[in-house]
């Protein structure tokens, strides 16, 4: 899964403004690109678009480490290189992207590719899109969305160490633990346990549990554990860690 950074992203300026990055093959142009990406995840939008692929293809390689934002973007977009045809958006001239009042001088090679003889899946603003190209574009985009939807959702879990106190030193601790472990629920797994001295010859049960956060709550468990009132005086949480 690719890690994504989300920031506010400015819209692409209209064609009537002079915009661009200068020469993306020069240190000055790369500095403009780095500054432009300082508060943005992508050249435009909130997911990898064709605009970022156009810039990626225009630069000559990874940027120096001091151009952190440009290097971060380059490495991120490089991971999408094999599926660039399925990325959303329309790839247009570099002069249509970037900050205002900077003219693009990189040249037309930035948007050329070795696939020029293939069907242009995304067309252009000035050419009428054929029905076949439109069908293929929509099909690729549907495949891309389907692939994202099939990724399994992350299940939030927690590891919690409970302390269960008996009434006195005559309480049957083996029976107390048996009662606690008898509590079963979807998303609840009991772990190891031990008896810990608390004073005056009394020991409490310290027991580990792993829970799925959306299914099992601490309040529910406390209510069910303290319901064994013949054995349990109280319960507390000794440690809590996200997994």
């Amino acid at each position: 899964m690719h890690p994504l950074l989300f920031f506010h992203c400015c819209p692409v300026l209209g064609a009537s403004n002079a915009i661009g990055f200068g020469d993306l093959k020069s240190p000055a142009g790369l500095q403009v690109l780095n500054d432009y990406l300082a508060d943005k995840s992508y050249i435009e939008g909130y997911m990898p678009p064709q605009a970022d692929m156009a810039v990626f293809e225009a630069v000559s390689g990874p940027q120096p480490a001091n151009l952190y934002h440009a290097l971060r973007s380059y490495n991120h977009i490089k991971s999408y290189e094999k599926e660039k045809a399925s990325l959303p958006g329309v790839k247009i001239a570099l002069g249509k992207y970037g900050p205002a009042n900077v003219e693009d001088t990189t040249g037309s090679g930035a948007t050329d590719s070795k696939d020029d003889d293939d069907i242009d899946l995304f067309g252009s603003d000035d050419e009428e899109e054929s029905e076949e190209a439109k069908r293929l574009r929509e099909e690729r985009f549907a495949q891309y969305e389907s692939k994202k939807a099939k990724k399994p959702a992350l299940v939030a879990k927690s590891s919690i160490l409970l302390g269960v106190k008996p009434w006195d030193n005559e309480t049957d601790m083996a029976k107390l633990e048996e009662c606690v472990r008898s509590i079963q629920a979807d998303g609840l797994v009991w772990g190891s346990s031990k008896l810990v001295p608390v004073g005056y010859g009394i020991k409490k049960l310290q027991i580990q549990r792993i829970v799925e956060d959306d299914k099992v709550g601490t309040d529910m468990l406390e209510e069910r554990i303290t319901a064994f009132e013949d054995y349990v005086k109280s319960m507390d949480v000794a440690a809590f860690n996200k997994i």
Side-chain angles (χ1 to χ4, degrees):
M1 176 176 222
H2 302 284
L4 299 179
L5 300 174
F6 292 92
F7 305 94
H8 291 295
C9 188
C10 297
V12 177
L13 296 176
S16 61
N17 298 87
I19 59 177
F21 297 104
D23 185 358
L24 283 175
K25 298 188 184 301
S26 71
L30 292 176
Q31 184 64 59
V32 173
L33 175 63
N34 185 72
D35 295 343
Y36 184 75
L37 290 169
D39 60 349
K40 301 173 179 65
S41 296
Y42 301 104
I43 299 300
E44 60 178 26
Y46 297 92
M47 60 189 297
Q50 289 293 325
D52 289 80
M53 188 56 67
V55 173
F56 171 81
E57 292 174 348
V59 298
S60 56
Q63 291 75 53
N66 64 306
L67 299 179
Y68 169 78
H69 304 294
L71 179 59
R72 177 257 302 165
S73 175
Y74 178 90
N75 291 331
H76 182 55
I77 299 304
K78 183 177 177 64
S79 65
Y80 286 94
E81 192 171 13
K82 292 183 179 180
E83 51 186 292
K84 62 182 180 180
S86 64
L87 296 180
V90 176
K91 186 191 294 184
I92 53 180
L94 281 175
K96 300 294 181 67
Y97 308 120
N101 302 319
V102 180
E103 184 177 357
D104 173 58
T105 58
T106 305
S108 60
T111 55
D112 293 338
S113 74
K114 62 183 179 181
D115 300 323
D116 284 343
D117 294 330
D118 294 339
I119 295 175
D120 182 0
L121 297 182
F122 293 90
S124 70
D125 290 340
D126 302 324
E127 297 177 1
E128 184 176 352
E129 185 179 41
S130 70
E131 288 299 320
E132 179 66 9
K134 181 178 180 181
R135 183 187 67 79
L136 288 175
R137 174 174 60 82
E138 293 176 349
E139 183 179 289
R140 291 288 181 85
F141 187 74
Q143 290 174 353
Y144 175 75
E145 292 294 320
S146 176
K147 183 178 178 181
K148 289 199 307 179
K150 289 180 180 178
K151 291 182 180 180
L154 181 65
V155 178
K157 294 183 179 181
S158 300
S159 174
I160 304 174
L161 186 64
L162 299 179
V164 185
K165 295 180 182 179
W167 287 102
D168 51 39
N169 59 356
E170 295 183 358
T171 300
D172 186 341
M173 296 304 292
K175 185 63 178 177
L176 185 150
E177 180 173 354
E178 180 184 334
C179 290
V180 171
R181 290 185 181 274
S182 70
I183 299 172
Q184 300 295 318
D186 183 27
L188 167 65
V189 177
W190 294 107
S192 59
S193 65
K194 64 180 180 180
L195 298 179
V196 179
V198 294
Y200 303 101
I202 300 174
K203 295 181 179 180
K204 70 176 180 180
L205 173 68
Q206 200 169 75
I207 185 167
Q208 193 81 31
R209 65 162 182 158
I210 295 177
V211 299
E212 293 183 22
D213 296 346
D214 291 340
K215 296 180 178 180
V216 182
T218 300
D219 291 342
M220 180 273 286
L221 272 181
E222 181 176 10
E223 181 179 339
R224 295 184 62 177
I225 288 175
T226 54
F228 297 108
E229 54 187 20
D230 290 341
Y231 303 98
V232 178
K233 179 181 180 182
S234 63
M235 185 210 84
D236 58 51
V237 175
F240 185 100
N241 294 290
K242 288 288 186 180
I243 298 177

